[in-house]
Amino acid sequence: MTWILENWERFWEVTAVHLRLSIVPVLAGFALSIPLGWFASRSAKARAVLFPLANVLFTIPSIALIVITPILIGVKILDEINVIVPLVIYTVALMVRSVSDALAAVPGNVIAAANAMGYRPLRRFLTVDFPLALPVTIAGLRVATVSNISMVSVGALVGLGGYGQLFTEGYQTDHTEKVLAGLIGTVVLAVLADGLLLLIGRLLTPWARAGR
Amino acid sequence: MIEFRAVTKRFEDGTIAVDELDLTVEAGTITVFVGPSGCGKTTSLRMVNRMIDPTSGTILVDGRDVLTVDPPTLRRGIGYVIQQAGLFPHRTVLDNVATVPLLSGWDKRRARTRAAELLEIVGLDPAFGKRYPAQLSGGQQQRVGVARALAADPPVLLMDEPFSAVDPVVREDLQNELLRLQAELDKTIVFVTHDIDEALKLGERVAVFRKGGHLAQYAKPQELLSAPANDFVASFVGRDRGYRTLTFLHADVPVHPVATAKLGERITVADWTLVVDEQNRPKGWLSGVDGEVEVGEDDLVSGGSLYDGSSLRGALDAALSSPSALGVVVDDAGAVTGVVKADDVIQALAKARAAGEVPK
Amino acid sequence: MIEFRAVTKRFEDGTIAVDELDLTVEAGTITVFVGPSGCGKTTSLRMVNRMIDPTSGTILVDGRDVLTVDPPTLRRGIGYVIQQAGLFPHRTVLDNVATVPLLSGWDKRRARTRAAELLEIVGLDPAFGKRYPAQLSGGQQQRVGVARALAADPPVLLMDEPFSAVDPVVREDLQNELLRLQAELDKTIVFVTHDIDEALKLGERVAVFRKGGHLAQYAKPQELLSAPANDFVASFVGRDRGYRTLTFLHADVPVHPVATAKLGERITVADWTLVVDEQNRPKGWLSGVDGEVEVGEDDLVSGGSLYDGSSLRGALDAALSSPSALGVVVDDAGAVTGVVKADDVIQALAKARAAGEVPK
Amino acid sequence: MGAWLFDPAHWSGPTGIPVRLLEHLGYTLLTLLIAAVIAIPLGAFVGHTGRGGFAIVGLSNALRALPTTAVLILVVLWAGLGDFPVYVALVLLAVPPIMAGTYAGVRAVDPMAVDAARGVGMRESGVLLNVEIPNALPLIYGGFRGAALQVVATATIAAYTGAGGLGRFVFDGLALQEFGQMLAGAVLVALLAVLVDLGFAGLQRLTVSPGLRPAGTGGKR
Amino acid sequence: GGDPLAGSGNNEPAPTDTIVVGSANFPESRLLAEIYAEALSAKGVKVSKKLNIGNRELYYKGVQDGSIDLIPEYTGVLLKHINKDATEVGSDEVYAALKKALPQNLVVLDKSAAEDKDAVVVTKQIAAQYSLKSLDDLVPYCKDLAFGGPPEFQNRPDGLSGLKAKYNCEFKEFKSLDVGGPVTVAGLKDNTVQAANLFTTDYAIKANEFVVLEDPKNVFAAQNVLPLINEKKASQQVRDTLNAISRKIDTKTLLDLNQKLAGPDKPEPEKVAKEWLAGAGI
Ligand SMILES: Nc1ncnc2c1ncn2[C@@H]1O[C@H](COP(=O)(O)OP(=O)(O)OP(=O)(O)O)[C@@H](O)[C@H]1O
Ligand SMILES: Nc1ncnc2c1ncn2[C@@H]1O[C@H](COP(=O)(O)OP(=O)(O)OP(=O)(O)O)[C@@H](O)[C@H]1O
Ligand SMILES: [Mg+2]
Ligand SMILES: [Mg+2]
């Protein structure tokens, strides 16, 4: 802890990087997984393709993905996009299933009621299906966010990792405190983000706690 | 008016849910579809608003073939009350009710005002508007479901076992509420249930379905009771057919005078005497005894059901349930106006039969 | 025998679910707890096998205070049929039924043999034994639930709305099955329902609960009908009390001879004539006409319900539902033995009342 | 990558692909075993009693936040080289999904079935072992298989501390700028993950009661 | 290229007048980068830092594609990186060859006297047991010993292949460890490996009383510290400043600085760099 206090500025700096590197992929991945998850919830064939694919993508070691990405998409080796793209892939791999499950769990009679009242598909999705899928989706998003925050550190391999920097440095100088500082930072960030999402989820789904 | 013309529905797996259905639902009436589980009631209903499309045949709503109308547009003009209400759990009661007006492009304010009115119409305190469905009891949810279906003032209302999830007491309330509403609103209502009592109570006409999607009989309730088309209908309509037939007969039964007494009075009671309170409302019967007695609470034999002039059924039951075999007749204020006898009811029934008032 | 002595249950949130309940369930009878939703029926039932412990008071099962017995041991000796069956989805039907014997240490073989027997007893083909609960219909699941509760041959059976999840037709089957079983097995059964018809049909005695966990009345069904203890019971028991009372009266009604004719016969019909088939089974009524006619199917007025000598209710309904006002009486083979008249039923009722057979 | 992968020289010897595959599998299986022994009882207990659910979800999310590399480094700094730090890091990774799956699974068991279990006279242990766990198995497997995927993918980092496994190819390939080798390593990892998942899917099929299969596959109706 | 998603921060292309200083991901490189950056900004040059960029394979690409402009380097390894077949080992020859080998847009400035070479290191116990002083002494025992080093050491000419070619030393086993970092140190200490690749200025050598084996056949080329810089950014002022630093640094300085970094209070390189600059009067 003393390291954090003594090097507040540096700690703050890596925190900012870490935060950016984890929030961007979460948002992008979440946005991508909504249409994909919707598709999966509708079609068994789509599920049969998307879910195993997500599993396989998820198992590609992050180091490999981070190093290969610039070769594949042709950006500069030190660009943050090299960390962001793999993390987006992981986020989508995690979230497709959550979104699909969440949508599939929307009660059938509610959907039938919406159809019967004359909702057209897009509007129904935006105002009925998706809001009702939110609690489960947000539970998935919490996991994805936390995983992202934890995984960003791998980016230190290419000089980008936020707290990951502290791990490498601490490690090379046999400086446990520095590693701990990064660890604490990561966990605190994750817990805060998790709590924030929990809170947002509650604000967005006031009905979920209505009644008993 | 809703017309089914040779409508058949065969599902992909080969199940024939509805088989060559021909049936006309008159405008402004409640028509009930009744039948055992899986006989195609829901399927028939859902073909009206195109939640399901028929395999063959035509369905006309007010003369227009539903297949020619874009489904969402069609549905906004047809109220649909789904089993267990099917409310949107994520919207307040008020917003649930306002759904269809908003979909049809009303502005928010007007839709909400209308929704609040509707809550009152279905007998809910407007304060419930701010709650979420999960905060309501089953019966209250059903009312919201009805209000929601009524919101755009559609001429046609489809109701699929709307009251099946509530207990019998609440259910009776809801049924009465529906009858009251219909008397005001005069919609064309198709009501699905598998409870024959509910069907007989609510339906101006009842369609009895049997397994495989066949229409076994389509008739007025009293006709189902007195002249079931076949054994299936007879057994489905169940026992007590004769007794139930009385529900639909409103022939006059002679009201006889009855000896009454007030609590605390000293009287001689030769025969059964009806004890009443200050407002002349029945308290119980005093059986005949020798000599003079003071009328006390403890001597009363409590009393049987009361007859308010509604139907022969009520009259007979009042007589049957009374310890004196005399059914107590009361007026709207609950005051005693006389008594009826079972024999008179049976004669009234015979007279009604002779007059052709009981369908054959 | 099960005794509730001043039993009160107050939940942690302050709800008083059962309030000073005093009640004795006789051994070898079916006792029904009935009442509106939330009135404490389930809570009362579950205190018997200690699924819930009372806040105060004592419950004795066959003279032993249940609180002195270790709950799992107690429960193995008390069959419990739960709402919607509550079967174990991961076990086959046979293994579901064998649960309690296995828990009680029977060897597997014996437990399974017993389970297979029980499936037959509750009217299920033993072939169902290998299926999983999800592969059964609702009614079949209920039967398995009953079989499971019976497996260890417990003297006491608790049944909590066991038939509420099935449709009315299946429900009636299950009720009849239960009555048949009980006639054989002679258990002490406590049965919970909120359906008053079910209560009146099954209960040798019925306990009517009202909100707040109060016992409103505890009596034989006919007593509830003819002498409800208060307005709550009267309104809960519902209309038709007088008519229903007849269910419990088996007084003799005079059977009158009736003119019969066979199809194709040429006869003169002065008055209503009952047309029968070769086995003397009723086909329908022919109304009186002038002159000789040939009896043809088309002239028949179909027939009203039949009276098989069961209770005054059946006799009255047969008479009321008959176009001739004459209720057809049939024997076990379905052959006509005569007719009954509504007037006679009413007189029989009066006689029964006078003889004190109708509780006051 | 293909060239590297199909070069017979890479398929033999103590640093060949088969040995690395087995090492990787070894890390994975032992990690999962240890994690299951920790996480299943914990999740099941909390699910059964219903107390501490909020804490379990929070704890498992906090555990998920631990960067595996950092844990690995810390344990190496404290306890030195060897397999121990690898297992610590991987077990910490595997515990949250298994625990969350078990907890959710036990919670999701039909309350009627649980009630019935008590009603027929099962003791609490019996309720948990004979009813709740068997019924929760599909979700337990869900968590377990998720954990397996993650562990297979992450066991790569064992190479970071000089240990074996398929991560060797990834790290060496990275250091040597031999992307063929690195990609081959990554593909082998993904392949192994799929195989391991298939293996557990088979195990799931064998051990989960047919009565719990989604409607339609549970036999004829 | 700019990443529209990443928002502001490190990632915007640096304005042309700013020098982006990079470093490899080991402490000495970071320290040297800090020294360069600090000195330059003291002279009024606009500087931004992008430190800890993995290994040479990565950051060299960064220098090439303009992601960074300046990075501390070592003559020998850099030469080998650019030209795999380079054979020069002497300090001046290497420097000369390096200058020639560099692509157009990159230049190296003056080399310093400070050298941080690869070396084969053993523990005191092993040195005593086999009486080892130089790599020549090791030759008979190579086949019995496990060797630890970074993965890339296996294939490098100034790695295992060099040892084999020049000394005919083939180890029983090679274990991939880290690049002269704590894993390697730990490997030596717990005898997982008996000999390992460390760097001569590593404070761990002194701290653990490891023995650096002499390299009479010069497998390991000279490794003088010098700045590698983007030609366009190498204004005269920048050159002067960096050359002045190179003049002040020798191997002893590096050893002292590394010792400081590894000291019990683990100071940040930035702080150590400032102190040294102040002391050196630059
Ligand atoms: N989508 C479908 N695919 C195949 N068969 C179906 C489908 N929907 C309904 N069925 C079958 O069609 C028949 C009629 O179903 P329907 O839902 O109309 O019955 P119902 O009379 O409403 O029954 P309930 O009283 O149980 O609601 C049943 O046999 C049912 O299994
Ligand atoms: N665990 C509990 N904690 C607090 N209140 C409870 C609890 N269980 C039941 N109650 C309350 O006790 C009352 C009686 O409940 P009980 O389940 O016995 O009713 P019931 O007569 O069986 O109703 P139903 O017909 O709906 O099954 C209700 O008001 C119910 O809300
Ligand atoms: Mg239906
Ligand atoms: Mg209950």
Side-chain angles (χ1 to χ4, degrees):
Chain A
M1 287 312 278
T2 48
W3 187 91
I4 298 180
L5 296 177
E6 282 165 15
N7 299 275
W8 183 247
E9 239 172 73
R10 166 120 163 92
F11 185 75
W12 191 239
E13 186 189 310
V14 286
T15 304
V17 175
H18 201 103
L19 208 55
R20 181 172 66 240
L21 285 179
S22 34
I23 287 178
V24 173
V26 166
L27 294 181
F30 183 42
L32 277 174
S33 53
I34 292 172
L36 288 174
W38 173 81
F39 192 43
S41 76
R42 303 275 307 217
S43 139
K45 277 187 197 137
R47 272 197 296 283
V49 174
L50 282 174
F51 287 180
L53 184 69
N55 275 353
V56 169
L57 282 179
F58 193 68
T59 54
I60 298 176
S62 42
I63 311 157
L65 210 50
I66 286 176
V67 174
I68 296 164
T69 306
I71 302 174
L72 294 182
I73 61 176
V75 293
K76 286 188 187 176
I77 184 83
L78 296 181
D79 205 310
E80 289 189 349
I81 206 89
N82 295 325
V83 177
I84 289 172
V85 166
L87 290 181
V88 169
I89 291 177
Y90 289 130
T91 307
V92 173
L94 271 175
M95 289 298 299
V96 165
R97 211 184 195 113
S98 297
V99 173
S100 165
D101 289 352
L103 287 173
V106 176
N109 63 346
V110 173
I111 291 180
N115 285 336
M117 273 183 286
Y119 273 91
R120 294 182 193 283
L122 182 66
R123 181 155 184 185
R124 198 198 82 194
F125 178 80
L126 292 178
T127 59
V128 179
D129 300 29
F130 189 64
L132 286 175
L134 265 182
V136 178
T137 306
I138 286 183
L141 190 62
R142 287 170 65 190
V143 171
T145 304
V146 167
S147 306
N148 257 302
I149 290 177
S150 142
M151 244 187 297
V152 165
S153 304
V154 179
L157 276 172
V158 291
L160 287 172
Y163 292 126
Q165 298 276 0
L166 302 184
F167 301 150
T168 346
E169 290 169 23
Y171 174 57
Q172 276 159 350
T173 50
D174 202 353
H175 191 0
T176 313
E177 255 216 60
K178 211 166 183 177
V179 178
L180 262 183
L183 201 66
I184 290 170
T186 317
V187 173
V188 168
L189 213 56
V191 169
L192 286 181
D194 191 45
L196 189 69
L197 280 175
L198 182 75
L199 203 69
I200 292 175
R202 291 203 168 180
L203 289 178
L204 288 180
T205 60
W207 67 88
R209 276 153 295 110
R212 283 185 290 164
Chain B
M1 195 169 79
I2 304 168
E3 292 163 77
F4 291 81
R5 294 197 184 153
V7 173
T8 294
K9 176 67 196 182
R10 148 183 276 133
F11 282 107
E12 274 168 25
D13 63 357
T15 317
I16 296 184
V18 178
D19 194 19
E20 293 279 329
L21 179 64
D22 279 303
L23 185 148
T24 302
V25 173
E26 296 298 336
T29 66
I30 301 184
T31 297
V32 178
F33 291 0
V34 71
S37 195
C39 65
K41 307 179 294 292
T42 296
T43 308
S44 303
L45 189 77
R46 287 160 75 97
M47 287 191 289
V48 174
N49 64 354
R50 294 197 61 189
M51 301 290 282
I52 297 176
D53 278 341
T55 313
S56 66
T58 316
I59 297 173
L60 308 176
V61 172
D62 292 335
R64 202 168 44 159
D65 182 347
V66 294
L67 288 180
T68 63
V69 191
D70 152 69
T73 313
L74 176 74
R75 292 172 192 156
R76 283 178 208 169
I78 299 179
Y80 184 40
V81 185
I82 205 169
Q83 202 167 344
Q84 297 179 20
L87 298 180
F88 297 136
H90 62 304
R91 298 212 182 136
T92 61
V93 164
L94 204 65
D95 287 343
N96 260 286
V97 177
T99 306
V100 182
L102 284 175
L103 274 179
S104 311
W106 293 28
D107 72 63
K108 213 158 188 169
R109 202 201 181 94
R110 194 171 144 229
R112 291 226 169 136
T113 315
R114 169 78 179 142
E117 274 168 38
L118 275 162
L119 288 183
E120 287 205 54
I121 289 182
V122 299
L124 279 178
D125 191 317
F128 282 112
K130 272 179 271 161
R131 297 209 193 168
Y132 287 100
Q135 294 166 309
L136 302 186
S137 76
Q140 290 164 340
Q141 291 188 17
Q142 303 288 12
R143 282 170 206 258
V144 177
V146 173
R148 186 173 65 173
L150 289 173
D153 203 17
V156 174
L157 214 57
L158 309 177
M159 309 181 81
D160 193 356
E161 308 203 15
F163 306 150
S164 65
V166 291
D167 72 53
V169 180
V170 177
R171 189 167 183 159
E172 179 134 359
D173 278 0
L174 290 168
Q175 290 166 348
N176 294 335
E177 199 72 27
L178 179 66
L179 288 173
R180 185 184 63 67
L181 263 176
Q182 170 66 355
E184 269 175 40
L185 302 177
D186 223 28
K187 304 279 178 196
T188 306
I189 299 179
V190 184
F191 189 105
V192 166
T193 179
H194 56 219
D195 177 353
I196 184 67
D197 282 317
E198 191 166 70
L200 295 175
K201 174 164 182 184
L202 296 178
E204 279 158 77
R205 307 197 95 207
V206 176
V208 182
F209 285 73
R210 65 189 299 178
K211 203 102 194 169
H214 303 284
L215 184 61
Q217 186 167 8
Y218 183 41
K220 298 215 167 109
Q222 54 269 49
E223 208 174 319
L224 284 185
L225 289 167
S226 57
N230 51 43
D231 286 353
F232 170 75
V233 177
S235 81
F236 192 80
V237 169
R239 49 182 202 171
D240 303 336
R241 284 194 285 124
Y243 178 69
R244 279 186 178 144
T245 306
L246 300 180
T247 317
F248 303 99
L249 295 176
H250 298 269
D252 278 340
V253 186
V255 177
H256 305 277
V258 61
T260 62
K262 296 218 161 52
L263 275 177
E265 264 185 78
R266 292 196 65 86
I267 51 165
T268 41
V269 264
D271 211 342
W272 282 98
T273 301
L274 185 61
V275 179
V276 294
D277 65 9
E278 293 303 320
Q279 280 80 39
N280 207 29
R281 286 181 307 215
K283 298 286 291 177
W285 290 95
L286 205 57
S287 67
V289 286
D290 287 338
E292 204 184 62
V293 292
E294 189 185 318
V295 181
E297 286 265 11
D298 295 344
D299 305 321
L300 296 187
V301 180
S302 75
S305 55
L306 303 176
Y307 175 52
D308 55 3
S310 51
S311 72
L312 286 186
R313 179 176 180 167
L316 181 58
D317 193 60
L320 290 178
S321 62
S322 168
S324 62
L326 300 169
V328 179
V329 185
V330 291
D331 61 17
D332 288 348
V336 175
T337 58
V339 291
V340 288
K341 294 182 182 165
D343 294 349
D344 292 337
V345 176
I346 285 156
Q347 267 159 38
L349 170 63
K351 231 187 271 169
R353 274 194 199 281
E357 282 168 30
V358 179
K360 290 177 184 168
Chain C
M1 196 169 79
I2 305 168
E3 291 163 78
F4 291 81
R5 294 197 184 154
V7 173
T8 293
K9 176 68 196 181
R10 149 182 274 133
F11 283 107
E12 274 168 25
D13 63 358
T15 318
I16 296 183
V18 178
D19 194 18
E20 292 280 330
L21 178 65
D22 279 301
L23 185 148
T24 301
V25 173
E26 297 299 334
T29 66
I30 301 185
T31 297
V32 178
F33 291 0
V34 72
S37 194
C39 66
K41 307 179 293 293
T42 296
T43 307
S44 303
L45 189 77
R46 286 163 71 92
M47 286 191 290
V48 174
N49 65 353
R50 294 196 62 188
M51 298 294 281
I52 297 175
D53 278 340
T55 313
S56 66
T58 315
I59 297 173
L60 308 176
V61 172
D62 292 333
R64 200 167 46 158
D65 182 347
V66 294
L67 288 180
T68 62
V69 191
D70 152 68
T73 313
L74 176 74
R75 291 172 194 155
R76 282 175 209 171
I78 299 180
Y80 182 35
V81 185
I82 207 169
Q83 201 168 343
Q84 295 178 22
L87 299 180
F88 301 134
H90 64 299
R91 295 206 180 144
T92 60
V93 164
L94 204 66
D95 286 343
N96 261 286
V97 177
T99 307
V100 182
L102 284 176
L103 274 179
S104 312
W106 294 27
D107 70 65
K108 213 161 187 165
R109 199 202 182 92
R110 194 171 145 231
R112 292 228 168 134
T113 315
R114 169 78 180 142
E117 274 169 37
L118 276 162
L119 286 183
E120 287 205 60
I121 290 181
V122 299
L124 278 179
D125 190 317
F128 282 111
K130 273 179 271 163
R131 295 209 193 170
Y132 287 94
Q135 295 167 301
L136 303 185
S137 76
Q140 290 164 342
Q141 291 188 19
Q142 303 288 12
R143 284 170 204 260
V144 178
V146 174
R148 184 175 63 180
L150 289 173
D153 203 17
V156 174
L157 214 57
L158 310 177
M159 308 179 83
D160 192 358
E161 307 203 16
F163 306 149
S164 65
V166 290
D167 71 54
V169 180
V170 177
R171 189 166 182 159
E172 179 134 359
D173 279 1
L174 290 168
Q175 289 166 349
N176 294 334
E177 200 72 25
L178 178 66
L179 288 174
R180 186 184 62 66
L181 263 176
Q182 170 66 354
E184 271 176 36
L185 302 177
D186 224 29
K187 305 279 179 195
T188 306
I189 298 179
V190 184
F191 188 106
V192 166
T193 179
H194 57 219
D195 177 355
I196 184 69
D197 281 315
E198 190 166 71
L200 294 175
K201 174 165 182 180
L202 298 178
E204 280 160 78
R205 304 197 97 207
V206 176
V208 182
F209 285 73
R210 66 190 299 177
K211 204 97 194 173
H214 302 285
L215 185 60
Q217 188 167 7
Y218 183 42
K220 298 216 166 104
Q222 55 267 48
E223 207 174 320
L224 284 186
L225 288 168
S226 59
N230 51 43
D231 285 352
F232 170 76
V233 177
S235 81
F236 192 79
V237 170
R239 49 185 202 167
D240 305 333
R241 283 195 284 124
Y243 178 69
R244 279 188 178 141
T245 306
L246 301 179
T247 317
F248 305 99
L249 294 176
H250 299 268
D252 278 338
V253 187
V255 176
H256 305 277
V258 63
T260 62
K262 295 222 159 51
L263 274 178
E265 261 184 81
R266 291 194 66 84
I267 52 165
T268 42
V269 265
D271 210 343
W272 284 99
T273 301
L274 185 61
V275 178
V276 295
D277 64 8
E278 293 304 320
Q279 279 80 39
N280 207 30
R281 286 180 308 214
K283 298 286 291 177
W285 289 95
L286 204 58
S287 69
V289 283
D290 286 340
E292 205 185 62
V293 292
E294 188 183 318
V295 180
E297 285 265 12
D298 295 344
D299 306 321
L300 296 186
V301 178
S302 77
S305 55
L306 303 174
Y307 174 52
D308 55 3
S310 52
S311 73
L312 286 187
R313 178 178 181 164
L316 180 59
D317 192 60
L320 290 178
S321 63
S322 169
S324 62
L326 300 169
V328 179
V329 185
V330 291
D331 60 18
D332 287 348
V336 175
T337 59
V339 291
V340 287
K341 294 183 183 164
D343 292 350
D344 292 338
V345 175
I346 286 159
Q347 268 159 37
L349 170 63
K351 233 188 267 165
R353 275 195 199 280
E357 283 167 32
V358 179
K360 290 179 188 170
Chain D
M1 173 194 106
W4 193 92
L5 193 56
F6 296 113
D7 181 347
H10 298 140
W11 281 90
S12 59
T15 60
I17 291 170
V19 175
R20 294 298 186 213
L21 261 174
L22 281 181
E23 283 170 353
H24 206 98
L25 193 63
Y27 292 136
T28 303
L29 294 183
L30 185 56
T31 298
L32 287 175
L33 183 71
I34 298 170
V37 167
I38 296 170
I40 292 180
L42 211 65
F45 181 75
V46 174
H48 175 76
T49 58
R51 270 189 288 262
F54 189 78
I56 278 277
V57 174
L59 176 69
S60 81
N61 271 351
L63 279 182
R64 277 184 224 265
L66 286 181
T68 311
T69 23
V71 174
L72 186 71
I73 289 170
L74 260 191
V75 184
V76 168
L77 290 181
W78 271 326
L81 282 183
D83 286 344
F84 178 70
V86 176
Y87 283 117
V88 171
L90 292 181
V91 166
L92 280 178
L93 182 75
V95 162
I98 301 180
M99 189 163 68
T102 309
Y103 168 71
V106 170
R107 289 263 80 186
V109 175
D110 180 6
M112 295 277 187
V114 176
D115 201 56
R118 294 207 176 93
V120 297
M122 289 188 190
R123 296 184 186 282
E124 288 310 300
S125 56
V127 173
L128 186 60
L129 291 178
N130 297 325
V131 177
E132 287 178 322
I133 299 247
N135 277 293
L137 271 184
L139 281 180
I140 296 180
Y141 270 109
F144 192 79
R145 285 166 66 180
L149 290 183
Q150 264 178 293
V151 170
V152 174
T154 315
T156 323
I157 60 154
Y160 194 67
T161 62
L166 294 169
R168 226 23 309 143
F169 301 133
V170 176
F171 275 88
D172 291 1
L174 183 66
L176 300 169
Q177 292 292 288
E178 282 185 18
F179 287 117
Q181 180 179 0
M182 190 183 76
L183 268 181
V187 166
L188 286 171
V189 169
L191 208 67
L192 182 65
V194 171
L195 287 179
V196 166
D197 193 50
L198 279 179
F200 285 127
L203 195 64
Q204 177 168 4
R205 204 151 234 290
L206 288 179
T207 49
V208 172
S209 158
L212 297 177
R213 291 201 195 124
T217 59
K220 55 193 168 2
R221 239 175 186 269
Chain E
D3 170 21
L5 293 174
S8 65
N10 296 6
N11 219 37
E12 285 157 8
T16 43
D17 58 341
T18 299
I19 294 185
V20 184
V21 184
S23 84
N25 64 350
F26 56 96
E28 187 177 277
S29 176
R30 250 196 90 188
L31 173 67
L32 288 165
E34 292 281 9
I35 289 176
Y36 292 168
E38 192 58 37
L40 287 174
S41 65
K43 290 278 191 287
V45 181
K46 278 193 201 153
V47 168
S48 79
K49 291 186 280 190
K50 236 182 197 177
L51 306 182
N52 269 328
I53 316 171
N55 58 11
R56 180 167 296 99
E57 282 74 12
L58 275 170
Y59 65 68
Y60 188 74
K61 279 195 190 118
V63 184
Q64 281 181 312
D65 71 17
S67 302
I68 54 174
D69 302 314
L70 168 65
I71 191 162
E73 261 296 4
Y74 302 88
T75 50
V77 275
L78 183 56
L79 175 60
K80 276 274 162 58
H81 183 76
I82 299 167
N83 176 13
K84 270 207 174 91
D85 307 323
T87 51
E88 292 78 2
V89 289
S91 177
D92 292 335
E93 295 89 72
V94 171
Y95 182 55
L98 175 61
K99 278 180 150 173
K100 231 182 274 162
L102 278 173
Q104 280 277 296
N105 61 331
L106 300 179
V107 291
V108 289
L109 306 182
D110 292 354
K111 70 180 165 72
S112 69
E115 261 203 282
D116 181 6
K117 291 172 76 156
D118 283 290
V120 174
V121 170
V122 297
T123 55
K124 208 168 73 176
Q125 291 78 8
I126 296 285
Q129 184 183 340
Y130 300 102
S131 22
L132 303 175
K133 270 210 156 125
S134 85
L135 285 171
D136 281 325
D137 305 333
L138 187 67
V139 176
Y141 313 110
C142 282
K143 61 178 190 312
D144 303 324
L145 303 180
F147 185 87
E152 57 265 34
F153 197 82
Q154 295 172 82
N155 299 23
R156 285 206 311 232
D158 52 346
L160 286 188
S161 40
L163 287 174
K164 187 182 171 206
K166 297 206 170 147
Y167 293 95
N168 193 27
C169 165
E170 268 191 277
F171 291 100
K172 181 180 77 181
E173 185 189 358
F174 175 83
K175 271 202 174 312
S176 283
L177 302 175
D178 57 355
V179 190
V183 172
T184 310
V185 173
L188 276 174
K189 283 206 293 199
D190 64 17
N191 208 28
T192 310
V193 293
Q194 287 77 46
N197 172 221
L198 285 180
F199 297 99
T200 47
T201 58
D202 192 339
Y203 175 66
I205 294 175
K206 191 170 159 195
N208 294 297
E209 300 186 334
F210 292 155
V211 177
V212 177
L213 299 182
E214 284 162 24
D215 175 23
K217 295 184 180 158
N218 281 323
V219 167
F220 302 114
Q223 304 288 5
N224 296 81
V225 171
L226 46 46
L228 171 68
I229 188 167
N230 190 323
E231 211 259 322
K232 284 198 210 91
K233 300 290 175 83
S235 67
Q236 198 53 49
Q237 190 195 17
V238 170
R239 285 171 190 259
D240 290 347
T241 312
L242 295 176
N243 286 340
I245 293 169
S246 290
R247 274 195 300 279
K248 291 271 183 183
I249 302 180
D250 57 14
T251 308
K252 168 88 173 42
T253 317
L254 273 189
L255 276 167
D256 286 349
L257 290 174
N258 279 333
Q259 177 165 1
K260 257 203 198 116
L261 284 180
D265 57 336
K266 314 275 180 191
E268 283 294 289
E270 195 176 346
K271 191 167 143 235
V272 178
K274 275 188 185 147
E275 278 170 17
W276 180 80
L277 283 169
I282 300 175

